[in-house]
Amino acid sequence: MKPHNLFNSLQTFDTGAGRKGLFYSLPALEAAGVGPISKLPIGIRIVLESVLRNVDGRKVTERDVRTLANWNAKSPAPEEIPFVVARIVLQDFTGVPLLVDLAAMRSAVARLGKNPRMIEPLVPVDLVVDHSVQVDFYGTAQALQLNLDMEFRRNRERYQFLKWGQQAFDTFKVVPPGIGIIHQVNLEYLAKGVRAFPPPGSQIPPSVYYPDTLVGTDSHTTMINGLGIVGWGVGGIEAEAGMLGQPVYFLTPEVVGVHMTGALREGVTATDAALHVTQMLRKAKVVGKFVEYYGEGAASLPLADRAIIANMAPEYGATMGFFPVDQETVAYMRATGRTEHRCAEFENYYRAQNMFGIPRKGDINYSVDLELNLAEVQPSVAGPRRPQDRIELPALKDTFASLLGKPVAEGGYGKSAAELQQRVQVKSTRPGPGAFDHSYGHVNIAGASESEMRDQHPAPGEAKELPPWAFDDFDAEIGHGSVLIASITSCTNTSNPGVMLAAGLLAKKAVERGLRVNPAVKTSLAPGSRVVSDYLERAGLQSYLNQLGFNLVGYGCATCIGNSGPLAPAVEEAVVKNDLVAASVLSGNRNFEARIHQNIKANFLMSPPLVIAFALAGRVDVDLSREPIGKGRDGRDVFLRDIWPTLAEVNALMHSALSAETFRQLYRDFASQNPKWNEVPSSVGHVYQWDAKSTYIQEPPFFANFSMKPGNIAEIRGARALGIFGDSVTTDHISPAGSIKKTSPAGQYLVANGVAPGDFNSYGSRRGNDRVMTRGTFANVRIKNLMVPGVEGGVTKHQPGGEVMPIYDAAMKYQQAGVPLVILAGAEYGTGSSRDWAAKGTHLLGVRAVIATSFERIHRSNLIGMGVLPCQFKEGVSAQTLKLDGTETFSILGLDDAIKPRQDLTLEIKRASGQTESVPVTLRIDTPIEVDYYRHGGILPFVLRQLVAKA
């Protein structure tokens, strides 16, 4: 299609070395009098460029350009922005079900007698396999290979499916296992800065250049904001629509400017800054807003520090945590092996757009201006349950002690004074070949195995399958506050050479003083890129990490997403039997309860060097600013200050250990660097051949009885409550990424299909099978359905009889009786990782509406994408104030084909006594396009009808 020249905005710029390229000039747009663009936040300008470039009079109009060009900082127009992104990134847990849906769409098109290849991603899609590695083996030089072997055995069928997808679709690429974590790979390799279409040198000139932008099916896609690239996390269903030619629609956001001054002090890390920002911005209520960092303090931050802060945008609730492009950005691109020509294009493009450089105070109009003096940031951790609950290092001991004694109803652990001093002796010996039932949270049961192998979360096979060193023989003492998992993990921090080298230096000093880690602590190092291993080896630090047990266990998300693997059986038995409030310490971004390990109740986020420090201390009820970590080989106390590396020591290693050529070498032709991936066979063809016997990949029922005519929007009457939940119900609660309990509906389904409990693998690994995932929806062991007071786990009361049963079983009984269902919930419903199965499972259970006090952004969008109606209680009203207990029936009145975004509806409550009450609720369909999605029964039927009609 020939480029348009609306507002005379199609201009040329110097791409470098005297070459010219076309671009849609925002300065030219301002010169044409369209709007005060030079005062807009940089993130808004990048989105505006996409809107301008993609004007076609249909999906994107001239009016869209004018509206966004006149963005009002204090009162943004309540208009949807049609944002066409340059590319999409996926991780494997969310990417597999997305590929399943694309395959199902191809099957549906084939059944209609049409060409299935009309279903094809229209923008580049990169899937990085990073969510499947688990820390089964640790503390040994063989851990990396053993864990990789286990990963391939468990996930062979999923990987075969991914390889089919790579050959079936032209624009779908896979980064195989063992390479790195999606966001770190994105930062170090996938990101281009600017892109061009047609590609330079093609036979169809001229090339139009535009900013690299993206959405990803993982909340922490925002890490790329540290590189000045606009992108954020969306649900898989939104990503699919983007792949298939739909803009990503979102309401015009407010933009919160964070004016940074000062600089981080000696002894304070970028992790400390990220935790400080997370707490600060959670308090400022930035949910659904863009955050843009500016000022001299922001300019002083190295790019890797910016990336940590940007990575945690989901934790502070923002859509983005954006740092504009400047000289530091280009220097990072150069240092990570991008070509000189690519770097010149990047810088020249942003200079031509007048978007180069970190803005100063007064340059930009922001909706809200916040101040942050980096010099005030203190060494901190966050936890034990939420990333925004920051605790300054000296206060951790007293905070933990207070939480131990505080009643459970007040967020504590409810331990008595006598229990606080409880200590338990643990004697670990290599387990014999006996059979524990560890299909849920422990080791596992002996028996025949499915080809995909064992329960991925958390256990390897039978004890006799493990080598002698899998669980060392040891005697140890543990109690409340004992550190049992210490993991340097997650792209959040392992992308940052500063904190990683600091961890290595701290390990070196600790070893030299004779400090050792308590053998009960499960230690691991799981970086997000092989580059980390290269520079730790070059710097001579990996050997010291190894001596403390922080051996390399894999390149993937691992402990950060709950793939922490099993504890030594004796340790786990002691924790469960004595109800110990044990701790994990990790350099990750999330620490929701039961996420890291089923039986570890207190989880603390911190910098990599602090992870090692707390592993050495062996407990979290300690003030490391004043108390010793332990005793050295000379018998003297060793304090944290004695082994903490200086900034000068870190910087000296940074300059010698990092090499652009290393990045180029390690990101070149990964297939040849991963022979295990090459050994995986795959089918071929444009339409997937579904296997009815598979328990991993099944054709979902989303297109069953598909017709070209959408339905009508109608009122929901006579619904029952499937669940009533409190505040902060996460997507981990709704669609758990954990192990499958043998007695759960999902476990019973697998057993009925010939799968031994030891082979269940995790819910996350089976996201390609709707039969498992629907049964697993609301199955988290920690979820509290207030309809069944005092009981944890995925149960409900089936009404009108009041029989307690699993949520899935009740939902199926209601479906058979033709009874619609609703969910009632508190604040921040759906917070956490972007899990499309939290919405898909809700839909397949028969839930027609979710009524909550408030929603997290991505989950609200995903509910609509699956045809589930989100409604919001008015301020001060909740299921609790209405005294709802699940014996009621509910009707949502005012729904018809003429509904408008955010209009009021009426929730009619009919109590068991016969009394009827009506309360107003807000329809949380926020944009006109979402009305269309809801009318069509979701985004996928909407897109499929469009594509088939067009063909």
Side-chain angles (χ1 to χ4, degrees):
M1 186 175 75
K2 183 180 179 182
H4 68 76
N5 193 16
L6 187 64
F7 303 116
N8 195 33
S9 57
L10 190 62
Q11 303 286 322
T12 62
F13 78 109
D14 180 8
T15 66
R19 291 185 287 267
K20 296 290 184 184
L22 293 174
F23 77 120
Y24 281 95
S25 168
L26 297 179
L29 195 62
E30 184 166 32
V34 176
I37 293 158
S38 57
K39 298 295 284 185
L40 298 181
I42 304 298
I44 292 289
R45 288 192 229 173
I46 292 172
V47 174
L48 175 59
E49 186 281 336
S50 170
V51 174
L52 172 63
R53 176 169 38 87
N54 287 288
V55 167
D56 61 1
R58 298 185 303 278
K59 292 174 190 159
V60 187
T61 66
E62 180 181 326
R63 181 180 177 276
D64 294 323
V65 176
R66 291 185 181 276
T67 300
L68 190 55
N70 288 280
W71 177 81
N72 184 325
K74 300 304 179 187
S75 181
E79 302 275 352
E80 60 186 6
I81 298 172
F83 182 35
V84 179
V85 295
R87 60 189 175 96
I88 287 167
V89 295
L90 316 171
Q91 40 94 333
D92 57 304
F93 270 20
T94 51
V96 166
L98 185 149
L99 184 59
V100 166
D101 289 348
L102 289 178
M105 292 176 82
R106 279 200 169 178
S107 294
V109 170
R111 285 193 293 269
L112 291 171
K114 308 285 186 181
N115 182 358
R117 295 197 70 187
M118 72 170 66
I119 306 297
E120 174 72 45
L122 299 179
V123 297
V125 178
D126 292 286
L127 184 148
V128 181
V129 182
D130 64 356
H131 270 50
S132 296
V133 65
Q134 178 171 294
V135 189
D136 291 318
F137 301 93
Y138 64 99
T140 167
Q142 291 79 27
L144 172 66
Q145 190 58 49
L146 289 168
N147 288 326
L148 194 64
D149 290 346
M150 189 71 79
E151 175 186 353
F152 271 84
R153 289 199 295 272
R154 288 183 181 128
N155 297 286
R156 187 177 180 86
E157 188 176 336
R158 295 170 64 239
Y159 292 172
Q160 287 174 336
F161 181 62
L162 288 175
K163 290 189 81 170
W164 168 81
Q166 188 165 17
Q167 64 81 41
F169 297 96
D170 294 334
T171 50
F172 179 84
K173 307 298 179 192
V174 177
V175 176
I179 301 298
I181 301 175
I182 177 173
H183 310 305
Q184 196 161 337
V185 172
N186 195 15
L187 193 73
E188 295 176 353
Y189 170 67
L190 296 175
K192 307 300 182 193
V194 292
R195 292 176 172 263
F197 185 83
S202 68
Q203 299 299 309
I204 320 170
S207 294
V208 175
Y209 286 78
Y210 52 94
D212 187 6
T213 59
L214 69 147
V215 291
T217 57
D218 189 278
S219 304
H220 298 97
T221 300
T222 54
M223 187 170 197
I224 206 65
N225 301 159
L227 199 60
I229 291 173
V230 165
W232 57 82
V234 297
I237 40 192
E238 285 180 290
E240 285 169 290
M243 280 190 237
L244 296 169
Q246 295 295 301
V248 175
Y249 291 93
F250 65 103
L251 269 179
T252 309
E254 292 183 28
V255 181
V256 176
V258 177
H259 181 233
M260 289 181 163
T261 56
L264 297 176
R265 297 178 295 106
E266 182 80 40
V268 177
T269 67
T271 314
D272 299 322
L275 296 179
H276 185 107
V277 166
T278 298
Q279 181 188 51
M280 167 185 159
L281 293 182
R282 265 290 166 185
K283 288 180 179 175
K285 297 184 176 177
V286 300
V287 172
K289 301 175 184 178
F290 285 9
V291 169
E292 192 162 296
Y293 300 98
Y294 72 102
E296 294 178 5
S300 74
L301 287 174
L303 193 127
D305 291 7
R306 301 176 190 181
I308 290 183
I309 293 169
N311 177 286
M312 291 195 72
E315 280 62 61
Y316 42 88
T319 303
M320 287 206 302
F322 185 78
F323 287 85
V325 172
D326 67 350
Q327 206 65 59
E328 170 65 16
T329 319
V330 179
Y332 179 86
M333 296 284 279
R334 193 171 282 118
T336 48
R338 274 72 166 206
T339 65
E340 197 58 44
H341 177 63
R342 173 74 66 187
C343 294
E345 279 181 348
F346 186 26
E347 179 171 346
N348 291 356
Y349 177 87
Y350 273 82
R351 287 190 182 279
Q353 290 283 29
N354 287 344
M355 294 193 298
F356 192 81
I358 300 279
R360 296 297 191 258
K361 189 84 168 175
D363 289 350
I364 303 289
N365 293 331
Y366 293 109
S367 305
V368 178
D369 258 308
L370 301 176
E371 294 289 332
L372 172 58
N373 182 352
L374 293 171
E376 295 175 358
V377 174
Q378 301 291 328
S380 304
V381 304
R385 295 188 182 97
R386 301 189 306 174
Q388 64 263 41
D389 294 334
R390 185 178 67 90
I391 305 166
E392 291 188 4
L393 195 58
L396 177 59
K397 179 179 182 178
D398 290 344
T399 301
F400 184 75
S402 172
L403 285 169
L404 272 178
K406 189 179 286 189
V408 173
E410 297 175 22
Y413 295 104
K415 298 297 179 184
S416 67
E419 289 178 290
L420 298 185
Q421 305 307 316
Q422 179 184 8
R423 307 297 290 175
V424 180
Q425 286 297 131
V426 174
K427 183 176 180 62
S428 177
T429 57
R430 181 175 179 256
F436 293 91
D437 177 5
H438 279 291
S439 64
Y440 176 57
H442 317 288
V443 187
N444 62 290
I445 202 162
S449 95
E450 195 185 12
S451 61
E452 283 18 314
M453 287 292 287
R454 300 296 183 185
D455 180 2
Q456 182 177 356
H457 188 86
E462 307 154 35
K464 67 183 181 183
E465 291 180 10
L466 302 180
W469 57 84
F471 297 112
D472 288 336
D473 291 351
F474 63 82
D475 289 300
E477 185 181 82
I478 63 174
H480 298 300
S482 288
V483 172
L484 297 183
I485 293 176
S487 184
I488 299 175
T489 181
S490 171
C491 55
T492 307
N493 284 285
T494 68
S495 60
N496 189 305
V499 294
M500 293 301 290
L501 289 168
L505 284 165
L506 187 142
K508 179 175 184 288
K509 294 183 179 189
V511 168
E512 288 170 347
R513 287 178 177 257
L515 294 178
R516 288 290 180 266
V517 173
N518 183 326
V521 183
K522 182 171 186 175
T523 48
S524 59
L525 169 62
S529 160
R530 295 175 300 167
V531 173
V532 177
S533 295
D534 182 85
Y535 65 66
L536 287 175
E537 289 287 357
R538 282 172 183 254
L541 298 177
Q542 185 62 56
S543 61
Y544 295 103
L545 289 162
N546 293 347
Q547 289 178 66
L548 296 181
F550 287 91
N551 298 76
L552 181 65
V553 296
Y555 299 102
C557 300
T559 301
C560 187
I561 60 164
N563 285 355
S564 53
L567 298 174
V571 172
E572 186 149 0
E573 183 181 356
V575 170
V576 174
K577 182 177 178 181
N578 297 281
D579 193 28
L580 295 180
V581 182
S584 74
V585 294
L586 66 150
S587 62
N589 47 46
R590 293 239 163 113
N591 55 347
F592 302 129
E593 189 173 357
R595 177 184 175 94
I596 305 306
H597 187 281
Q598 288 304 133
N599 295 314
I600 302 291
K601 294 183 179 180
N603 305 289
F604 293 94
L605 308 179
M606 58 189 66
S607 66
L610 278 181
V611 168
I612 296 176
F614 278 99
L616 291 164
R619 57 197 179 100
V620 292
D621 56 338
V622 60
D623 177 1
L624 289 186
S625 68
R626 300 169 59 183
E627 297 178 52
I629 285 182
K631 291 189 182 294
R633 65 170 56 90
D634 59 3
R636 295 183 180 180
D637 286 341
V638 178
F639 293 84
L640 180 61
R641 60 179 174 268
D642 299 328
I643 59 175
W644 192 267
T646 66
L647 194 56
E649 289 172 321
V650 172
N651 286 338
L653 283 180
M654 192 104 71
H655 293 304
S656 61
L658 288 170
S659 155
E661 182 52 39
T662 300
F663 285 90
R664 283 192 284 268
Q665 178 185 340
L666 292 178
Y667 282 113
R668 184 184 299 135
D669 186 21
F670 353 85
S672 67
Q673 300 172 26
N674 194 333
K676 294 194 74 64
W677 179 252
N678 297 333
E679 292 167 8
V680 175
S682 71
S683 59
V684 295
H686 300 309
V687 179
Y688 188 67
Q689 301 303 308
W690 304 98
D691 178 2
K693 296 179 181 177
S694 173
T695 57
Y696 278 90
I697 308 294
Q698 284 293 330
E699 183 174 7
F702 305 136
F703 306 106
N705 305 315
F706 176 79
S707 77
M708 291 298 292
K709 189 172 189 264
N712 296 317
I713 296 175
E715 294 178 336
I716 299 168
R717 292 184 174 271
R720 288 284 184 181
L722 187 60
I724 301 175
F725 302 109
D727 294 342
S728 299
V729 169
T730 71
T731 50
D732 284 351
H733 289 118
I734 304 167
S735 178
S739 57
I740 301 172
K741 191 175 182 180
K742 187 170 65 174
T743 56
S744 70
Q748 291 172 345
Y749 162 84
L750 290 172
V751 169
N753 281 274
V755 183
D759 295 321
F760 279 1
N761 215 323
S762 63
Y763 280 113
S765 69
R766 293 187 184 271
R767 285 183 181 183
N769 184 347
D770 63 279
R771 284 74 159 166
V772 171
M773 295 306 292
T774 305
R775 287 168 169 83
T777 304
F778 296 109
N780 186 289
V781 292
R782 300 292 183 206
I783 197 168
K784 298 179 180 71
N785 184 353
L786 303 180
M787 290 170 61
V788 193
V791 177
E792 285 189 337
V795 296
T796 191
K797 287 182 179 177
H798 182 271
Q799 301 295 352
E803 182 186 355
V804 176
M805 62 180 66
I807 281 177
Y808 173 80
D809 293 347
M812 293 305 102
K813 288 189 74 169
Y814 284 127
Q815 279 193 25
Q816 288 166 10
V819 177
L821 299 172
V822 296
I823 294 288
L824 298 126
E828 296 182 339
Y829 182 75
T831 192
S833 298
S834 58
R835 295 224 168 94
D836 54 342
W837 263 110
K840 288 177 176 177
T842 299
H843 161 72
L844 291 176
L845 286 173
V847 174
R848 299 280 303 282
V850 176
I851 307 142
T853 306
S854 66
F855 292 90
E856 194 76 355
R857 177 183 65 86
I858 295 174
H859 187 60
R860 182 204 64 83
S861 170
N862 282 354
L863 287 172
I864 297 163
M866 289 311 302
V868 178
L869 191 76
C871 296
Q872 189 163 316
F873 287 116
K874 297 295 184 180
E875 188 75 32
V877 181
S878 67
Q880 285 69 46
T881 65
L882 293 168
K883 296 183 168 50
L884 303 177
D885 62 11
T887 58
E888 308 83 0
T889 59
F890 302 89
S891 298
I892 300 176
L893 309 179
L895 284 169
D896 57 35
D897 280 327
I899 59 168
K900 304 289 184 199
R902 286 185 168 261
Q903 75 173 57
D904 276 0
L905 300 171
T906 299
L907 175 65
E908 185 180 85
I909 305 162
K910 187 172 183 180
R911 300 185 186 272
S913 64
Q915 178 189 353
T916 299
E917 183 177 350
S918 295
V919 296
V921 293
T922 302
L923 173 65
R924 282 306 311 274
I925 290 179
D926 289 355
T927 65
I929 192 68
E930 288 181 345
V931 175
D932 287 338
Y933 294 159
Y934 182 65
R935 178 179 290 109
H936 281 258
I939 199 168
L940 295 180
F942 172 81
V943 170
L944 186 54
R945 287 186 182 106
Q946 281 205 331
L947 290 172
V948 173
K950 185 177 178 182

